[in-house]
Amino acid sequence: MSAQSSIACDIVVFGGTGDLAMRKLLPALYYLHRDRHLHADTRVLALARARLDTDSYRQQVRRHISQYVAQGDFDEAVWQQFAQRLDYMPLDVSQRVEFPRLAKALEAGAERVRVFYLATFPELFAATARHLHSVGLADERARIVLEKPLGQSLESARQINDEIGSVFDESKVFRIDHYLGKEAVQNLLALRFGNALFEPLWRNAHIDHVQISVLETVGVEGRGGYYDQAGAMRDMVQNHLLQLLCLVAMEAPVHFEPEAVRNEKRKILEALRPISGMDVQDRTVRGQYSKGSRAGEALPAYYFEKSVDHDSNTETFVALQVEIDNWRWAGVPFYLRTGKSMAQRKSEIVIQFKSVPYRLFGEGRGSPMHNRLVIRLQPDESISLSLMAKSPGRGMSLQEVELDLNFAEAFNKRRWDAYERLLLDVIEGDATLFMRRDEIEAAWRWVDPVIQGWQDCYRSPKRYAAGSWGPDAADSLLERSGHAWLDER
Ligand code: NAP
């Protein structure tokens, strides 16, 4: 991944003035430019409705990039070169008549790869694809990138997929889930399939349970209008958490290439035991934050956030007990949890192995006698393995010690942001880390009945104080099976 791409490309960012573009996509492109991964002729054309000229757009981007790249990484000379790649054009994607202008702007690069990055809203995806097609831009060299969430339900996701599919071949569609671009997530694959050590143990005979947590300290951060319609289940579980679960649980693919990897992930989604009807009460917890505090700072309740309905029933927290009905995982609970305005920001996967079958060193002398593998994605990317070791001194008292691999320290290299890696994959046409249509639909097929179950039982989400670890019911969910969330509370 260090060579310069041999592919000259036009990257067209729809929604080029938005939060995602400014905070993630353009800083990622700046780094790719700085580190010489982009072809010298690659250009970036940003589009949105705002009537800006290229100069004022570049000023806006400069402000954001200097704020969002790591301290010391903004370099005026590099920026000046990068800015030369960058253009802006006002365009309303819902207006077909505006697309001939776009076709004209891209005419000069007729032989180049074209990446259409849809950093707008799912409601606009179908019209954008249709209008690109109508002016001949949805051709062999075009690739389309779709941001999550893709739809609000199986039906709406299918509709978007059908409309996109009527214009772009599936091999040209890149449905992005930036969690898959994270180094630690790819390291999970390296750990599982690049080492002989773990795979024989990676099954129900040896694994007790798995926890996948994606916890944020932030609330809805000005995105209340969107979030109130979506909720944590659609915003996080349907995509990020289920994708992480797939990578933990899938069988080894025959090759590390798109179809083989995605076939294995889909099989896991199809093996998820449905949660519907009464199961919803036993195996799920929904929460919503009320006012609270963190480190002495008062935090608002969700229903006081901007653009959120005061009577909102939207969940900002979800905990689930998930079962995978296949030979490898039968009987192993996978606990998934995500929440906003939590006590701590962390994304991690915990693999808890079973305890030793017999306590050779006596009861009570150093519990719990089981090993644990923790793959941490945020705030730092690291992998740690807890082992039992003898405590120094007389007698055989055991204590837990950790083998730690912190990637930043181990490799002494700047960590790539997920969007850098994924943008380069799109340019190179490698869809291994992107979701295929059937995966997205299989995930919705499992998620829809849970949401329906919540609606049918008319229960409001359980309140939890902002800045806490979520509703007590999320702890009880695990306690029933003798487990507990592995938090440092
Ligand atoms: P945002 O800040 O509201 O930006 C939306 C962008 O779309 C703006 O540039 C807006 O500019 C443009 N736009 C809206 N309607 C348009 C139209 N008819 N024609 C052309 N451009 C139009 O939203 P965002 O947070 O960047 O999110 C964009 C998408 O990415 C959403 O689907 C979101 O769920 C997803 N996403 C965002 C993040 C994130 O970190 N922000 C992370 C993952 C996924 P004008 O209003 O000037 O047209």
Side-chain angles (χ1 to χ4, degrees), residues 20-70:
L20 179 69
M22 292 295 181
R23 247 176 357 103
K24 292 288 178 187
L25 303 180
L26 289 154
L29 287 165
Y30 168 87
Y31 275 121
L32 290 176
H33 163 84
R34 186 196 74 167
D35 298 342
R36 301 182 194 283
H37 296 299
L38 296 179
H39 188 283
D41 291 335
T42 287
R43 305 178 304 198
V44 181
L45 175 60
L47 308 169
R49 287 170 302 181
R51 301 268 141 203
L52 300 170
D53 58 26
T54 289
D55 276 346
S56 44
Y57 180 69
R58 286 179 182 167
Q59 285 310 315
Q60 249 189 55
V61 176
R62 185 188 179 287
R63 256 199 331 275
H64 283 94
I65 289 186
S66 59
Q67 181 184 347
Y68 289 119
V69 298

Side-chain angles (χ1 to χ4, degrees), residues 214-221 289 293-295 297 299-300 305 338-347 378-379 464-469:
V214 178
L215 308 182
E216 299 174 287
T217 46
V218 293
V220 289
E221 280 191 305
Y289 59 87
S293 65
R294 188 183 313 103
E297 185 200 345
L299 301 168
E305 299 274 15
T338 184
K340 285 196 176 287
S341 218
M342 302 290 292
Q344 202 182 78
R345 173 175 177 244
K346 71 168 179 179
S347 300
Q378 267 166 353
Y464 62 97
S468 73
W469 289 96

